[in-house]
Amino acid sequence: MSVLQEIVAGLGVPNFKVLIPEIIILITAFIVFVIELLTKARLLITVVTAIGLFLAAIPTLNMEYGDLTFYGLYIVDSFSLTFKFFLILSTFFVVIVLRPYLEAKNTYYGEYYYLILFSLLGMMMMVSAPNLITFYMGIELASISIYILAGMFKKDYLSKEGAFKYLILGGTGTAVISYGIALIYGRTGSFDFVTIANTITSDNLDVGAVAGIAILIIGLALKASSVPFHFWTPDAYQGAPTPITAFMAVAAKISVFAVILRIMVEAFPFAYEVWNTGWALLAAASMIFGNFVALRQDNVKRMLAYSSIAHSGYILAALAAPSGAAFTALIFYSLVYIFMGLGGFIFLSAMERQYNWSNNINDFRGLAKRSPILALFMLIFMFSMLGIPPTVGFFGKLGVFIALINSDIWWLAVVLVVMSIVSAGYYLRVVIYMYMHEPQSKAKVNLSVGEAFTLAFMAVFVLILGIYPTVFWDISQILSSLLVAGIGR
Amino acid sequence: MVPYEYYVALSGLLMVLGLIGIAVRRNIIALLISTELMLNAVNIAFVAFDMKLGDVGGQVFVFFILTIAAAEAAVGLGLIMAIYRLRRDVDTETLTELKH
C-alpha cells in the first residue's frame, strides 16, 4: 500500500452522499461562472442558476439518513435540511426576479448569480455546523459574498457606501466572533459544540467562559443586525440592489437565526441564564429602536430595513425563554418571515422598474387605483408584518408571546405587544397611501412573469399559512424537540 | 519562557485598539486597517491558548483567519478604490450620504 492509500484507509472517506445539495450548488456556481465568462447569454445564466437551485432542493426534501461527516465537522440532520430547503427556496425567488431589475437599472453583471450561489453555500454550511470552525467558515463565505453583492450597483455611490459600512462593521463582527471563539477554545480546548457542552457545567462556569459566550453573542447580534449593533443594516439595505436586499434581509438573516439557536442550545446549555438575559435585552432594544425609527422614514425601502431590525427583535425575543415552546416559536417565526420579507422587498424591486418610482412613500399614492391586485399583495404583506389575524405574521408573534408568558417573562411579552401596536403606525401608513389617496400618474404597472409569480406565491402562502399554520407549526415543533434531545447526544 | 497570560493580554489590548480605531478614525483606509488589526489580535490569542493547551487546533484556526482576513482586505480595498474613483475622497465625514 502506498502512503496515500494508508492515509485514506486510516482516515476513512467522508460521507459525500449527505452533501449532495451543497455539491450541486457548488457545481452550478462554477458552471455559471464559465457560462458568464464565455457567452454572456443572460437568459441562459438565469435558467441554469434556477435549475441548479431546483435540483439542489430535491435531495433536501427526500434525504432519508443524515450523518455527522467530515470527521465531526459537518452535521446533516432534519434541522439543517429544513433550513437548507427554505434557504434554497428564497434564493430561487431572488434569482428569478433579479434579471429584469438589473436590466431596468442598467447594472447587469453575470457575477451576481454565482456570488449569490457562493453566499447560499456559506449559509448552508452555517446551518449544518456542529463545530465552531465550520460555523465560522460558513458565516464568512456568506458575508464576504454579500459585501460584494451589496456594492455592485454600477456607478452608484450609495451602494458603495452601504457596502463599505457593511464590510467594516461585518469585519468587526467577524473579529469579535473569532475572539469569542478563542476565549471558549482557551477555556475548553475544543471547537466542538458537544465537547464544549460537556466540558463546562453550570457549577464550574467561570469568568473566562462567560466572557467568551458574551463576546460571541455580541458578534452574532451584529450579524443578526440587532440593536445596538445594527448601524450597517439600513445603509447596506438601502444601497444594495433591491433583490439583493431581499436576499440579505431574508436568507442571510434566517441562516443567522438558525445558527444562533443551534449554538446556544447545543454548545451552551449550561449557561442558559447568561444568554437568556443577553438576548432578552438585545431583543427589547431592537424592537423599541427599530419600530420607533421606522416611524419617521419616508423612504419605504429604508423603512422596511428598520422593520427588519424590529423583526430580528421579535424573533430573538424567543431566546429569552429556555423552553421547547420558545425554540419552536423561533423556528416558526424565521420560516414564515421568509414569505413576508421576500414579499415586501420583491414588491419594491418590481415597482422600482416602473417609470418615475423612487421608493418614496408618495409614490404609493393611489396605487390601488392603478393596480388593485398589486396593492392587495402589498396590503397582505404589510398586515402580515404587522401581525393581523388572517395572515401568518399573527401566529409568529403569538407563538413568541405565549412562549414568553409560559416562562414568566412578562416584561418582554409586554414590550412585544406594545411595539407591535407602534409598528401599525408605519405599516398602515403605506396601506393608507395606497388606498385613500388619488394617484399622481395613471401609468400602467408592468411586471415580468417571475415578479408576478413570486408576489402571488408569497401573498397566497402568507394567507394559507395564516388560515392553516399547523403544517409549519408541526415542522417547527419536531425540529425544536430534536434540537433539545440532541443536547445529550 | 513568557507565560501565556501575557500574550492573551497583548491580544486583548490590540483588540481594544482596533475597536477604538473603528470608533474614532475618519479615514476609510484606517478603518479597514483597524479591522485587520483586530483579526490579527485574535490570531495572537489563538496561538497563546494553543501554547497553554498543548493542542494544535488553535493553530489550524489561525490559518483560516489569515485566509479570511486576506479575502476581506481584498474586497475592502476594491470598495475603497470604487469609492475613491466616484468621489476623490477618503474622509467618512464628507463621504457619508446615507443618514437616518
Side-chain angles (χ1 to χ4, degrees), chain A residues 157 161 179 185-186 238 302, chain B residues 11 52 55 58 95 97 100:
Chain A
Y157 173 69
E161 186 190 325
Y179 204 75
Y185 171 73
Q238 192 187 347
R302 205 169 169 82
Chain B
S11 84
K52 168 202 164 198
D55 182 52
L95 277 173
E97 282 187 12
H100 310 298

Side-chain angles (χ1 to χ4, degrees), chain A residues 30 44 58 62 109 173 202 205 255 273 301 307 328 346 375 431 453 469:
Chain A
F30 283 124
L44 183 68
I58 296 170
N62 62 9
Y109 292 105
S202 43
L205 190 63
S255 54
E273 281 161 343
K301 196 171 169 186
S307 109
T328 311
I346 286 177
V431 174
F453 172 67

Side-chain angles (χ1 to χ4, degrees), chain A residues 4-262:
Chain A
L4 193 66
Q5 278 170 328
E6 271 177 42
I7 291 172
V8 170
L11 288 174
V13 182
N15 182 0
F16 285 108
K17 228 183 269 174
V18 293
L19 296 172
I20 291 173
E22 283 87 343
I23 293 171
I24 294 176
I25 295 287
L26 189 62
I27 291 175
T28 316
F30 283 124
I31 292 174
V32 172
F33 183 86
V34 174
I35 295 176
E36 199 272 331
L37 205 63
L38 297 179
T39 69
K40 311 279 178 206
R42 295 181 176 183
L43 187 63
L44 183 68
I45 293 176
T46 315
V47 170
V48 169
T49 315
I51 291 175
L53 289 168
F54 183 74
L55 288 180
I58 296 170
T60 60
L61 286 177
N62 62 9
M63 196 178 286
E64 285 178 17
Y65 299 102
D67 197 4
L68 187 65
T69 182
F70 275 110
Y71 321 110
L73 282 172
Y74 206 87
I75 189 170
V76 180
D77 54 4
S78 317
F79 183 80
S80 63
L81 284 174
T82 312
F83 273 98
K84 275 178 207 171
F85 174 75
F86 283 102
L87 289 174
I88 293 172
L89 185 81
S90 41
T91 313
F92 176 80
F93 284 112
V94 170
V95 165
I96 61 175
V97 299
L98 191 54
R99 191 171 60 93
Y101 179 87
L102 297 179
E103 283 177 351
K105 292 278 172 180
N106 203 11
T107 176
Y108 184 91
Y109 292 105
E111 281 86 349
Y112 279 109
Y113 290 89
Y114 57 82
L115 284 172
I116 283 182
L117 289 176
F118 282 134
S119 178
L120 173 67
L121 185 70
M123 292 168 196
M124 288 164 80
M125 280 167 67
M126 235 158 104
V127 295
S128 53
N131 190 300
L132 289 170
I133 297 183
T134 320
F135 149 70
Y136 185 72
M137 294 312 291
I139 203 167
E140 280 316 296
L141 181 54
S143 313
I144 291 179
S145 309
I146 292 180
Y147 302 151
I148 309 173
L149 283 170
M152 267 199 348
F153 225 127
K154 194 183 274 180
K155 293 205 170 65
D156 182 274
Y157 173 69
L158 294 184
S159 162
K160 307 284 182 291
E161 186 190 325
F164 189 73
K165 282 180 180 167
Y166 187 16
L167 177 112
I168 291 298
L169 289 167
T172 312
T174 306
V176 169
I177 286 177
S178 42
Y179 204 75
I181 295 177
L183 289 182
I184 292 161
Y185 171 73
R187 174 67 178 76
T188 63
S190 172
F191 296 111
D192 192 60
F193 291 172
V194 179
T195 319
I196 292 171
N198 290 339
T199 313
I200 314 178
T201 55
S202 43
D203 302 327
N204 64 2
L205 190 63
D206 53 13
V207 178
V210 171
I213 295 169
I215 291 175
L216 191 60
I217 287 178
I218 289 174
L220 285 168
L222 204 150
K223 294 282 179 185
S225 72
S226 161
V227 176
F229 312 106
H230 65 282
F231 306 107
W232 58 273
T233 319
D235 300 339
Y237 281 21
Q238 192 187 347
T242 315
I244 302 300
T245 312
F247 185 67
M248 286 155 74
V250 175
K253 278 272 193 76
I254 298 308
S255 54
V256 171
F257 293 134
V259 84
I260 287 175
L261 182 62
R262 196 198 275 274

